[in-house]
Structures are given as C-alpha cells and as structure tokens.
Amino acid sequence: MQFNNLETERLLLKNIGPEDRAFIYKQFSDPVVSKYLYDAEPVVSMGDADDIIEMFLQPEIRTHHRWILIRKSDNVKIGTCGFHCWNVNTHEADVGYDLQEAYCGQGYMQEALNAIFAYAKEQMGLLKVTACISVENKGSIGLAKKLGFVRSGEQYNEVFRDQAYLHDKYVLML
C-alpha cells in the first residue's frame, strides 16, 4: 500500500523520510516526549534516529507507518503519529502518537488523529484501532476518550528498565 501525505485545517501530515532525521533525533531524545514510551530507550544519536526512520521506510508489505505533524502556519514539525501492528486479516491496528510539550492542549493531535483514522478506514480498510496507554499518561487518556475510544481492559507491558508498567487498553471502532 502506498501511504499518502495528509492535510487538515492546520496541519500537514507528511510521511516520515530521511530528511526528518534531525527532527526524529530531537523528538525522541526529549525526556518529556519519551516519558511514557516504555518500549525503547530515548534516542541518543543520529544513528538511533536513522534506525527509526529506516524501520518506517521498509518496503511493502509492512505493519506500520508514521506521519510527521507539520504546522502549516510556520512549517514547524511538532510531533508524529501513525499505526503499528497492522493486521490486514482482522482489519485492525494499534495507534501511536507523540507531541512536543509546547504544542500540547491545542487540539493538534486530535486533528491529526481524526485525519489518520479517516484515512485508515477509507484506504487501509481498518475497522478497529487500539491504543495501549500508560495509566499515568492522563493527557493521552483524555485525548483517547475525546476521540471516542472505550477502555477495554488493562495489561502490564513487557518489562522495561527492570519494571513492568501498567497500561490501559482502549478500542475505537471505525
């Protein structure tokens, strides 16, 4: 499947690419952005950023995709969002997203996620999107609820830094 760039009222959602390495480094080395990402250590080098980009540029068929959120008013890259664990047989995928702290609470991520959910339904054939959110991440939980996600349970994620972290599972039917 060929993923398209998307556009909303205030944002351009651009497919991740090699030209985004400085942003990916900045984004995923930021301790605020990576605070609730319990599956990988924060980025510490440009090589780490290249590895993230390479993962999202794997040839088709792949189970994940990521867009960079660019604010149209000033062309500033402010976050990312996308899908992982895409199962074409069951028509479902997990969603992931992150936003720089300066842009939180302004509706940018809600706008971006509404756009990718519409795309997912129309172009990817998704019927269900799931989110696994740390119980401590109140902002993300609030966003998921605003978007119509329903809590479906809880789980401890795999051990990270010698600790298991409790996450709530949320489901959105498209």
Side-chain angles (χ1 to χ4, degrees):
M1 162 169 198
Q2 182 69 31
F3 287 89
N4 298 328
N5 291 333
L6 305 173
E7 193 169 338
T8 69
E9 181 181 336
R10 300 181 295 162
L11 299 169
L12 172 64
L13 281 65
K14 180 189 101 45
N15 293 316
I16 195 170
E19 68 280 3
D20 300 309
R21 81 189 292 245
F23 172 72
I24 294 298
Y25 174 79
K26 176 184 173 187
Q27 185 75 354
F28 293 105
S29 64
D30 182 327
V32 174
V33 170
S34 60
K35 182 175 182 176
Y36 299 110
L37 302 179
Y38 297 125
D39 58 352
E41 293 291 341
V43 167
V44 295
S45 71
M46 284 297 196
D48 290 347
D50 291 338
D51 290 345
I52 291 171
I53 291 168
E54 184 177 312
M55 180 185 71
F56 286 109
L57 294 180
Q58 290 176 355
E60 304 300 338
I61 299 174
R62 64 178 187 247
T63 61
H64 47 271
H65 186 74
R66 203 79 169 181
W67 288 273
I68 306 266
L69 281 65
I70 303 171
R71 198 165 59 171
K72 287 183 188 178
S73 63
D74 56 10
N75 289 321
V76 171
K77 296 175 182 178
I78 64 172
T80 77
C81 65
F83 299 107
H84 49 98
C85 301
W86 178 20
N87 186 322
V88 295
N89 296 317
T90 61
H91 305 282
E92 59 188 85
D94 294 340
V95 66
Y97 47 88
D98 50 85
L99 192 63
Q100 292 177 8
E101 186 176 30
Y103 304 100
C104 291
Q106 299 174 46
Y108 288 116
M109 191 55 71
Q110 184 173 352
E111 188 174 321
L113 293 178
N114 280 327
I116 71 167
F117 294 160
Y119 183 84
K121 184 176 182 178
E122 296 165 14
Q123 302 299 319
M124 298 169 65
L126 289 185
L127 302 173
K128 178 177 163 182
V129 176
T130 56
C132 188
I133 304 171
S134 168
V135 296
E136 297 175 3
N137 192 344
K138 303 302 182 199
S140 186
I141 291 169
L143 174 61
K145 289 178 179 178
K146 281 183 191 173
L147 291 165
F149 279 84
V150 176
R151 186 179 179 280
S152 63
E154 63 185 30
Q155 71 182 39
Y156 281 93
N157 275 12
E158 293 182 28
V159 174
F160 180 68
R161 296 181 186 151
D162 296 323
Q163 185 176 347
Y165 296 89
L166 185 61
H167 285 68
D168 283 336
K169 300 235 359 151
Y170 289 87
V171 174
L172 175 68
M173 301 306 292
L174 299 179

